[in-house]
């Protein structure tokens, strides 16, 4: 049996119960560079570990990974294909599943906790919040020139960019050029959910400069929900002047307004 | 300590390792209607279980839930607030966290596997896929009249609607009226990841009629990735004529094209 398993965002305790079970039963583990050492350590000591992580400069072609999985799948052994986050969210797990289906092999997908919500949450950012955001757009920032900035700038609610840190200056400029408010709260969360987690918040106009010293992997979150971060996570510095955002956020809910005021009293 | 725990999409094995641990240590569990009985059964037999599920007709006001959590948090007992999916993705967990912060109480967020990717995955739908979708928009379909159809119709890639099943006819019409191709593949996945899972696929124009007999809870997925479902999950019927989609999907990748052809040979 071959299992495409989501390893979650980094913290090994965010692996699912089924993912853990599959990993403990695996004879071969084929894993990405982004899967943390804490998760890999959960495999059996005698398991064969194959690192196919795509690293800048020396990428392993996806076709080769697909072919490897098909060959391993034919061996009849217990194979785990361990991917960071969720296999079907920017993980190219669909291509691997298609290759296995094309070879007539049985496989299963074990979903994982995706970074798209877990990493913002680990910095105190709920990607949706009544009065602030009822829509989330998730895009890859891998190739900033390929993004549809007109559509992204108009998308209501929260924007989350995978692989958007390296090209953040271009992404922010593209959004502002197409009409997104330069004062929109923005955050970069580096190494989210791990002990090395660091978060920087700033306005959309200032986020690229403010976060320049962070190291990847990092997730980019843009939207008014970011203003909640210093209230909901003590480690997130209150760099944003969020009066205006909070007034909009709380205009429709007296209880939320009251809680924001109380929470700020506690975090100051 | 009070923990806001994501229960995942339904299947109890998709709870995280930390979520399971917190649930097993909980003296009080405050849970939603959407949390499956399989997950609730993992709590200790002596734990106090409080159902605050919002059901049509007799909703528990969010302010009351917030207040309950604050009172419980002050008791010093181990409290788990168990929410379907992920607490910060359309779960109003941010409001509960804000109420706890406002009361000066310590709390943690334990992210969960969100339905947004796990439910499509359970029906063979990767929400992103090279050549088909590099962007995902997640919206609430709770109030179809409140949606920005112009922005949604223009959003490239995959659309996922929470609570979009009841108003699906209006959502589909709104998207088509604003320019989304009526032939776009669409799916409704009911009771995803549970034993009762049922999936219907059709074109965007036909999905509301085709799925009329399904029962909630159900997730709506719209986009070309839906065409992959019958290839990647044997339980999903091949109702869609997906030639055109597949030609677009495979235009840029010979290996994906080949795998689609092979996979179709196996699924016929």
């Amino acid at each position: 049996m071959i299992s495409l398993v989501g390893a979650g965002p980094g913290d090994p305790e965010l692996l699912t119960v089924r993912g853990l079970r599959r990993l403990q039963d695996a004879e071969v583990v084929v894993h990405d560079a982004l899967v943390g050492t804490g998760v890999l350590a959960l495999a059996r000591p005698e398991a064969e570990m194959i690192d196919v992580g795509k690293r800048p400069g020396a990428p392993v072609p996806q076709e080769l990974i697909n072919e490897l999985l098909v060959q391993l799948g034919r061996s009849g052994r217990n194979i785990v294909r361990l991917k960071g986050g969720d296999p079907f969210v920017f993980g190219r797990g669909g291509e691997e599943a298609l290759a296995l289906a094309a070879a007539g092999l049985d496989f299963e997908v074990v979903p994982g906790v995706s970074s798209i919500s877990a990493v913002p949450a680990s910095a105190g950012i709920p990607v949706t919040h009544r009065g602030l955001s009822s829509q989330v757009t998730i895009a890859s920032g891998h190739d900033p020139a390929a993004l549809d900035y007109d559509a992204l700038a108009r998308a209501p609610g929260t924007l989350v960019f995978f692989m958007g840190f390296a090209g953040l200056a271009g992404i922010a400029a593209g959004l502002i050029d197409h009409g997104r408010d330069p004062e929109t709260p923005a955050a970069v969360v580096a190494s989210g959910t791990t002990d090395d987690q660091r978060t920087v918040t700033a306005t959309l106009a200032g986020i690229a400069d403010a976060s320049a010293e962070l190291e990847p992997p990092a997730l980019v979150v843009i939207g008014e929900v970011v203003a909640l971060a210093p209230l909901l996570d003590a480690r997130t510095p209150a760099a944003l002047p969020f009066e205006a955002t909070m007034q909009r956020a709380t205009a429709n809910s007296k209880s939320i307004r009251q809680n924001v005021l109380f929470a700020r009293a506690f975090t100051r």
Side-chain angles (χ1 to χ4, degrees), chain A residues 231 250 253-265:
Chain A
L231 303 179
T250 59
S253 167
K254 210 167 73 178
S255 74
I256 293 184
R257 176 163 193 79
Q258 198 179 48
N259 283 338
V260 164
L261 293 173
F262 287 168
R264 292 182 70 175

Side-chain angles (χ1 to χ4, degrees), chain A residues 11-12 17 23 57-59 61 78 97-98 116 118 125 130 189 195 216 226 235:
Chain A
D11 183 333
V17 172
L23 193 52
N78 287 333
L98 199 50
I116 57 165
I125 305 168
R130 191 163 58 132
V189 187
D195 292 339
V226 170
R235 296 165 304 174

Side-chain angles (χ1 to χ4, degrees), chain A residues 29-252:
Chain A
V29 177
V30 180
H31 67 88
D32 287 342
L34 273 180
V35 176
T37 50
V39 177
L40 296 177
L42 299 169
R44 294 192 294 187
E46 65 270 30
E48 185 181 344
M49 308 298 283
I50 303 177
D51 179 358
V52 294
K54 300 191 195 76
R55 291 183 185 79
V60 179
Q62 185 64 49
E63 285 71 19
L64 218 66
I65 298 173
N66 295 355
E67 183 57 28
L68 172 67
L69 294 177
V70 167
Q71 295 301 330
L72 289 169
R74 289 199 173 119
S75 72
R77 291 188 289 174
N78 287 333
I79 314 295
V80 162
R81 169 65 171 124
L82 193 61
K83 301 175 79 73
D86 181 275
F88 277 4
V89 180
F90 293 104
R92 301 189 74 170
E95 291 171 58
E96 297 173 5
L98 199 50
L100 294 166
L105 293 167
D106 274 339
F107 64 93
E108 66 168 356
V109 178
V110 182
V113 172
S114 176
S115 306
I116 57 165
S117 53
V119 168
S122 71
I125 305 168
V127 291
T128 65
H129 196 84
R130 191 163 58 132
L132 287 183
S133 168
S134 62
Q135 194 166 309
V136 187
T137 303
I138 308 151
S140 168
H142 172 68
D143 181 5
L147 291 167
D148 180 347
Y149 288 102
D150 196 36
L152 285 171
R154 293 164 55 104
T158 309
L159 304 180
V160 178
F161 289 94
F162 273 88
M163 297 171 284
F165 179 53
L168 181 53
I171 291 170
L175 291 170
I176 292 168
D177 286 349
H178 286 79
R180 199 92 176 191
D181 183 351
E183 297 296 309
T184 306
V188 176
V189 187
S191 300
T193 83
T194 73
D195 292 339
D196 300 322
Q197 177 174 322
R198 280 191 62 200
T199 306
V200 167
T201 61
T203 62
L204 180 56
I207 188 65
D209 281 348
S211 64
E213 284 176 20
L214 296 182
E215 301 277 340
L219 197 80
V220 175
V221 190
I222 298 167
E224 297 192 320
V225 288
V226 170
L228 295 171
L231 303 179
L232 298 184
D233 188 274
R235 296 165 304 174
T236 301
L240 275 176
F242 49 40
E243 291 305 333
T245 300
M246 282 304 160
Q247 289 202 356
R248 276 196 298 278
T250 59
N252 295 319

